[in-house]
Amino acid sequence: MALIQIAQLNELPENSMRGFIYGELHIAVFRIGETIYATDNVCSHEEADLTDGWLEAEDCAVECPLHGARFDIRSGQALSLPAYRPIAVYPVRVEDGQIWVELP
């Protein structure tokens, strides 16, 4: 596992999301209130960036822009069809205003 500094906390407003590329990994980082989450940024149903979709902050979910599949950003579980496979979730820590993500 590699721990990478992916962004500054102040670059990610509350209840927002942003995509990052690290090598061949497409990572989505979400900020819900003061909590930061990181997942794969590619829908498990079709090749679409989840951060081009909609963040549902009240449900801690993201909706894919192509076919409306929803994922829980805390667990990666698919919440609605057409997706049925989960997306990967990555450990996150915030230190000194920087967001760090642990990647495989």
Side-chain angles (χ1 to χ4, degrees):
M1 293 288 227
L3 188 63
I4 63 155
Q5 191 267 329
I6 203 157
Q8 298 286 336
L9 185 60
N10 63 6
E11 296 173 335
L12 197 62
E14 190 172 318
N15 298 332
S16 70
M17 59 186 170
R18 186 169 162 201
F20 298 90
I21 297 176
Y22 181 76
E24 296 196 15
L25 291 174
H26 291 242
I27 308 298
V29 176
F30 305 89
R31 182 175 183 179
I32 306 293
E34 292 304 312
T35 305
I36 308 296
Y37 303 94
T39 69
D40 278 341
N41 194 20
V42 179
C43 179
S44 65
H45 169 250
E46 290 256 348
E47 295 280 324
D49 284 345
L50 294 173
T51 53
D52 288 340
W54 300 272
L55 177 61
E56 299 168 5
E58 64 281 350
D59 296 329
C60 286
V62 63
E63 183 177 328
C64 178
L66 283 183
H67 301 111
R70 294 176 63 241
F71 298 90
D72 186 313
I73 62 174
R74 299 166 294 192
S75 67
Q77 292 302 309
L79 299 174
S80 66
L81 295 174
Y84 57 89
R85 291 186 323 252
I87 55 174
V89 173
Y90 304 105
V92 175
R93 56 175 115 144
V94 177
E95 295 176 358
D96 298 324
Q98 297 189 29
I99 301 170
W100 295 82
V101 177
E102 193 171 315
L103 300 174

